[in-house]
Amino acid sequence: DIIMTQTPLSLSVTPGQPASISCKSSQSLLHSDGRTYLFWYLQKPGQSPQLLIYEVSNRFSGVPDRFSGSGSGTDFTLKISRVEPEDVGVYYCMQSLQLRTFGQGTKVEIK
Amino acid sequence: EVQLVESGGGLVQPGGSLRLSCAASGFTFSNFWMHWVRQAPGKGLEWVSSINGDGISTSYADSVRGRFTISRDNAKNTLYLQMNSLRAEDTALYYCVRSTWPWGQGTLVTVSS
């Protein structure tokens, strides 16, 4: 099974400041088709998870450009260039190379 | 508009059974892998089961294998999860997911005596 490890597990950010979340997988998420199956979701309070980033670095439709994803192999990062109050919630990374596994989640709060 | 609506959750005693349904609309249902993901109260996301477009290929998390069965009816655009031998630790909000997006609103399953 592929294990996904997120750090930190919680983050308190001043509005307008940047934030960064790390996600590490126990094995490479690079498929033989050349694609890397790493996704980022945000679950806002009381809502279902919403897709932010697919295949490491592609912003999903309607996602603000202050969100960016990067990484390769086993190490990935989600960055928010300037955190806004509506960004609060829990961020999850997910791999879909082999079945599906989620990271533990990173709770982002506003200072 | 792509939409997924789960139903069938409720309160059930340990050892009991429930069948969850997920009604899909706004897309060609048979073209997509579908998944069940659950979230225990106050906890993170846990993948439960997946099924391919024609219903032939299925997979399960170790925690539910042998107790849960995923299926689909492409004529009815509906995904199912048959849950047997339920345990307290199966208590969770169960989400239906199309591929990677969107997710339904979830249906709550509570296993308690």
Side-chain angles (χ1 to χ4, degrees):
Chain A
D1 293 5
I2 298 178
I3 298 169
M4 307 296 288
T5 304
Q6 282 181 238
T7 55
L9 297 184
S10 65
L11 209 47
S12 184
V13 188
T14 300
Q17 293 301 301
S20 180
I21 300 170
S22 171
C23 176
K24 296 184 188 296
S25 57
S26 59
Q27 63 188 78
S28 175
L29 301 183
L30 176 63
H31 192 275
S32 56
D33 63 9
R35 297 158 69 175
T36 301
Y37 290 89
L38 185 281
F39 301 79
W40 289 98
Y41 291 90
L42 166 58
Q43 186 174 31
K44 295 185 177 182
Q47 296 185 18
S48 304
Q50 57 190 73
L51 180 62
L52 294 176
I53 302 286
Y54 64 95
E55 295 177 22
V56 180
S57 60
N58 300 284
R59 268 190 307 275
F60 188 60
S61 175
V63 174
D65 61 7
R66 63 180 181 274
F67 291 93
S68 64
S70 63
S72 63
T74 61
D75 288 358
F76 307 95
T77 302
L78 176 71
K79 292 183 179 177
I80 311 173
S81 59
R82 297 172 306 280
V83 173
E84 298 194 4
E86 59 263 33
D87 299 336
V88 299
V90 181
Y91 290 77
Y92 294 93
C93 60
M94 181 199 79
Q95 68 80 21
S96 64
L97 180 69
Q98 294 177 11
L99 303 177
R100 271 141 205 257
T101 319
F102 294 91
Q104 313 97 302
T106 296
K107 186 173 185 178
V108 172
E109 300 175 325
I110 297 294
K111 280 184 182 176
Chain B
E1 179 193 3
V2 176
Q3 195 169 12
L4 300 171
V5 179
E6 302 93 336
S7 61
L11 175 63
V12 61
Q13 292 188 339
S17 298
L18 275 178
R19 188 176 83 154
L20 306 184
S21 299
C22 170
S25 60
F27 63 100
T28 304
F29 183 65
S30 59
N31 285 354
F32 290 86
W33 279 80
M34 297 294 296
H35 313 272
W36 289 100
V37 176
R38 68 185 181 183
Q39 186 170 35
K43 301 297 184 182
L45 302 171
E46 180 189 15
W47 169 77
V48 173
S49 184
S50 300
I51 187 167
N52 73 337
D54 61 15
I56 300 300
S57 179
T58 60
S59 53
Y60 299 91
D62 289 344
S63 57
V64 307
R65 186 175 294 113
R67 300 187 299 123
F68 290 11
T69 302
I70 191 171
S71 62
R72 64 193 297 161
D73 185 333
N74 287 343
K76 295 182 178 179
N77 290 343
T78 303
L79 175 72
Y80 302 101
L81 186 68
Q82 177 67 42
M83 304 187 298
N84 299 330
S85 302
L86 282 161
R87 306 166 179 167
E89 55 265 35
D90 295 318
T91 294
L93 187 63
Y94 284 73
Y95 293 103
C96 164
V97 188
R98 182 196 75 165
S99 184
T100 56
W101 171 90
W103 295 50
Q105 286 304 113
T107 186
L108 182 62
V109 172
T110 303
V111 184
S112 175
S113 54

